[in-house]
Amino acid sequence: MNPRPAGHALVEALIAQGVDTAFGVPGESYLAVLDGFHELRDRIRFIACRQEGGAAFMAEAQGKLSGRPGICFVTRGPGAANAAIGLHTAFQDSTPLILFVGQVAGEQRDREAFQEVDYRQLFGPGTLGMAKWVAEVQSADRLPEYVARAFHTACQGRPGPVVLALPEDMLAQATAAPVLPRATPALAWPAPAALCDLRAMLLAAQRPLVIAGGSGWDAEAADALQRFAENWQLPVACGFRFQDTFDNRHPLYAGDVGIGINPKLAARVRDADLIVALGVRLGEMTTGGYTLLQAPRPVQRLVHVHAGAEELGRVYAADLLLQASMACAAKALETLAVPHDVPWRDWARAAHADYQANHVAPPVEPLDLAVVMQIVQRLAPADTVYTNGAGNFSGWLHRYVRYPGLQHHGRTQLACTNGAMGYGLPAAVAAALLQPQRTVVNVAGDGDFLMTGQELATATGYGAGRGAGKLVSLVVDNGSYGTIRMHQERAYPGRVSGSELFNPDFVALARAYGWLAHRVEDTAAFEPAFAAALAADRPTLIHLKLDPDVITSRTTLGAIREAALRRAAS
């Protein structure tokens, strides 16, 4: 291969891995890579974002949508620090991602040169770090080797993020090193003996429940999961913010296990005598703060199937641990021989009936977010991608939107399990750019939205939402950091500090970025505004003005405060 700058070789290596889009914020530390993007612009594009946090969120969404590593480039020091939020999201969400960080020149290392950081220390790998692997490439000739290893590491076992630091002088050096073949992750099948043990545990159960989620699923695996559930008539719940793992319209669907869980589903998890956890991390959100499943030894019998060996037994002493890739595990489970009948049919029917009943809520005036979400689902195409960041506003989205299983349209839910504010808008922009034929709906809170609201400019600049698919952002404005205000009222009723927000005119702000925009203050005004957004030739922001007292989909601030005062008085 003819010599070329290592920065060009890096872009060639990305193309060889099937990458056609990279996100980032440009920096002088990796000019040679930017020149490579220019040289190969007919085969790959670089999306210049407005802040590194937004760029990293976009790459994380890319990883969720594709199942392959999302790609993000940032410059050294402050750029890398800004990108840390997306890296942490990818780590906790088990999303494959590669963060390329420009680094100071090798001859300047260890002098605290301008913006110099030791990325191995900053992002240090480990079970509680922010990356699966962190490395610095010293040799131009070894750059393709590092890139190939980064792809393998990001995809194999429990998927996650990798960081490669790129010294500026190395990227300018010439190399004739060839790029390496596309990385294909090794897949692990569950041991046959363990499958026999699982079948025996199912046969002994009276009230089993499957909790499915996590990353690593594909359409075939989701189909296999559905057949496994149908064969055994098993009720299936989805882990926190992985609601598109199992078709929510299916009569065996029981709901989502996470923040704002249906109280009846929470009781069902506690009452189950067998939990089969497929692909989910049994972390704080999916276990109700380690109470739905008592740590470290649950009352229920527990089977945990996960691709990462380090995740098995991390918290819970399960009755059966199976290390397996989700693409293989579900296919293996559907082969289990089914008995003539099972004793839990009524249990499964009741679980779905509880889920259905959870869609009925008392009316709220003047703006009812339950009705808003139901209108969105009714009018939006079936393959719509829904995104959100962190905040109480997301409770309405999670409760009232029914996600199709990913075997139908791929991922339809892009949401962060690590509770990162600001995720939803960049994720929506990325989805609209990567899959322009699909409609994308972002639901954001007012505090959440302004964390990354400048990425409206990225959407406008690159034409997101101008094709067959539409891009719509719903901004729920209650004038506060609502989640914090809720916790304040529970712990310190009536003593509010630091949770008030002073918001801009969101309609004027969106229009300044080239978006269409509408303000909605009552339920009746929402449907025409959303219908207009779906017919528009540009992205649209809809500003939803919510009564501050309407704090969750289940209660009000006033009710929380009164309950806290009663507790204090008793």
Side-chain angles (χ1 to χ4, degrees), residues 14-39:
L14 294 178
I15 294 170
Q17 295 295 336
V19 177
D20 61 12
T21 302
F23 300 93
V25 175
E28 67 271 23
S29 58
Y30 66 96
L31 292 176
V33 178
L34 292 172
D35 190 64
F37 279 113
H38 175 79
E39 182 71 18

Side-chain angles (χ1 to χ4, degrees), residues 34 54 65 156 200 203 228 281 295 309 328 426 516:
L34 292 172
L65 281 171
Q156 291 185 158
L203 292 175
F228 168 59
R281 291 180 56 240
C328 306
L516 300 173

